[in-house]
Amino acid sequence: MSAVADPAVRLGLGCAQLGNLYHEIDDERAHATVDAAWDAGVRIFDTAPHYGLGLSERRLGEALRERPREQYTVSTKVGRLLVGDPSWSGGMDTEGFAVPATHRRVWDFSRDGIRRCLEASLARLGLDRVDVALLHDPEEHQEVALRTGFPALAQLREEGLVGAIGAGSKDAAVLTRVVQECRPDVVLVAGRFTVLEQPAQEALLPACAAAGVEVLNAGVFNSGLLAVAEPSADLPYEYGAAPADLVAKARAIAAVCERHGTTLPAAALAFAAGDPAVTAVVVGADSPEQVRRNAALATAPPPASLWPALREAGLL
């Protein structure tokens, strides 16, 4: 069974921004963002407890509540359990989200931890099941995640609490190991198959194609650096400051795009969907306007001449 509600839909909504990634947005804007995605034909929604300490899941669940359940796919993640912090005294989260730090994230890939994490997500989402459940960033906990966490997900799949199972990470090598050793249904790779850099192309994507594993390609703007036509040093990369060499490369790619009558964001979206193993491209947004722009770009691919020009320039 496909992990994606409608395989014809290539664009998914990444919901980290619904958890106040980088800056605060209100509930109305979060709801309107999901509505705009739905109106644009998006039926894949990816979230996680990590995103705003559960805020993203709560907002996504509320925004989808009146939508036909069989028409959309919700993906969430396990492995970071949210635990209430009794010592909280009003401080804010320090992991990139503009939310009060009322809870702590606790790594837990044990069987009990995976179940508790999923059950809490279901409560926040207001759902009785999720379509996709992914081990979240298991790179620092590989043995317990693969040997204990993944079998725990498989058990939850047997119970009908989840549909497809797999892992999500920005570490292509770890995801390759998951594909080779665990036989997942799907993986989500973040920022490793973009027009800026393609380490996932070396082993992960071929492994997924060979094993019939679906790929959700996320982080295709490299956290923001590729999201505008003229990239600058003040844009984030990997949720932090962008290295000067990558800023220079992004600018060089943007210049080639301009010469070929397109833009860097349009090229980023088209490239991210270009490998046959990629089922959908998951793109974040924090406003309806961003959703509509991305959807419009996704339907207007760059000219075919762009790709050989980028290769000739040593940029791809």
Side-chain angles (χ1 to χ4, degrees):
M1 178 181 293
S2 173
V4 177
D6 179 359
V9 176
R10 299 285 288 175
L11 200 62
L13 181 67
C15 296
Q17 285 91 333
L18 301 188
N20 291 352
L21 178 65
Y22 302 137
H23 57 264
E24 183 178 359
I25 63 172
D26 60 27
D27 290 345
E28 183 179 2
R29 179 166 157 181
H31 200 302
T33 299
V34 177
D35 286 346
W38 188 276
D39 292 342
V42 172
R43 297 294 184 269
I44 303 162
F45 301 89
D46 178 69
T47 184
H50 170 60
Y51 302 157
L53 295 172
L55 179 61
S56 172
E57 290 181 319
R58 288 192 293 272
R59 284 174 163 173
L60 178 62
E62 178 60 32
L64 292 175
R65 191 126 311 146
E66 302 304 319
R67 304 293 186 182
R69 181 63 185 92
E70 70 280 1
Q71 291 186 17
Y72 63 83
T73 290
V74 169
S75 167
T76 194
K77 305 178 184 75
V78 295
R80 296 191 208 192
L81 198 59
L82 301 184
V83 178
D85 188 351
S87 65
W88 180 68
S89 58
M92 299 296 286
D93 182 54
T94 59
E95 295 199 29
F97 297 90
V99 294
T102 55
H103 288 68
R104 295 180 294 110
R105 300 169 179 86
V106 177
W107 291 104
D108 192 339
F109 289 101
S110 68
R111 285 185 175 270
D112 179 64
I114 295 293
R115 182 175 291 274
R116 288 169 59 201
C117 193
L118 179 65
E119 289 175 348
S121 288
L122 292 174
R124 287 187 291 267
L125 287 162
L127 299 174
D128 60 3
R129 62 181 174 86
V130 293
D131 306 283
V132 182
L134 304 169
L135 301 172
H136 199 181
D137 294 341
E139 45 266 27
E140 300 299 324
H141 310 271
Q142 292 184 48
E143 296 310 317
V144 66
L146 273 61
R147 304 295 168 235
T148 303
F150 192 84
L153 277 183
Q155 176 63 40
L156 293 169
R157 181 177 58 188
E158 290 180 15
E159 295 175 20
L161 293 176
V162 305
I165 60 174
S169 175
K170 63 182 180 181
D171 191 320
V174 169
L175 292 178
T176 302
R177 185 181 175 196
V178 171
V179 171
Q180 294 172 339
E181 298 182 20
C182 298
R183 302 188 178 214
D185 304 304
V186 58
V187 297
L188 182 148
V189 58
R192 300 284 78 90
F193 184 64
T194 75
V195 75
L196 186 68
E197 49 194 355
Q198 304 88 41
Q201 202 167 28
E202 298 170 12
L204 176 61
L205 296 182
C208 289
V213 174
E214 298 188 19
V215 177
L216 302 178
N217 191 11
V220 301
F221 291 145
N222 285 110
S223 300
L225 183 60
L226 308 184
V228 298
E230 298 180 3
S232 60
D234 61 345
L235 292 171
Y237 167 83
E238 300 288 328
Y239 306 107
D245 61 327
L246 291 183
V247 174
K249 183 177 180 181
R251 286 173 173 164
I253 295 171
V256 176
C257 290
E258 185 176 12
R259 290 197 296 272
H260 285 260
T262 189
T263 66
L264 179 60
L269 285 174
F271 182 86
D275 190 279
V278 173
T279 301
V281 176
V282 177
V283 185
D286 68 6
S287 70
E289 293 75 20
Q290 286 186 3
V291 169
R292 287 190 281 267
R293 185 207 73 154
N294 292 337
L297 290 175
T299 61
S305 61
L306 175 66
W307 313 119
L310 287 173
R311 293 189 188 96
E312 184 177 345
L315 296 170
L316 190 61

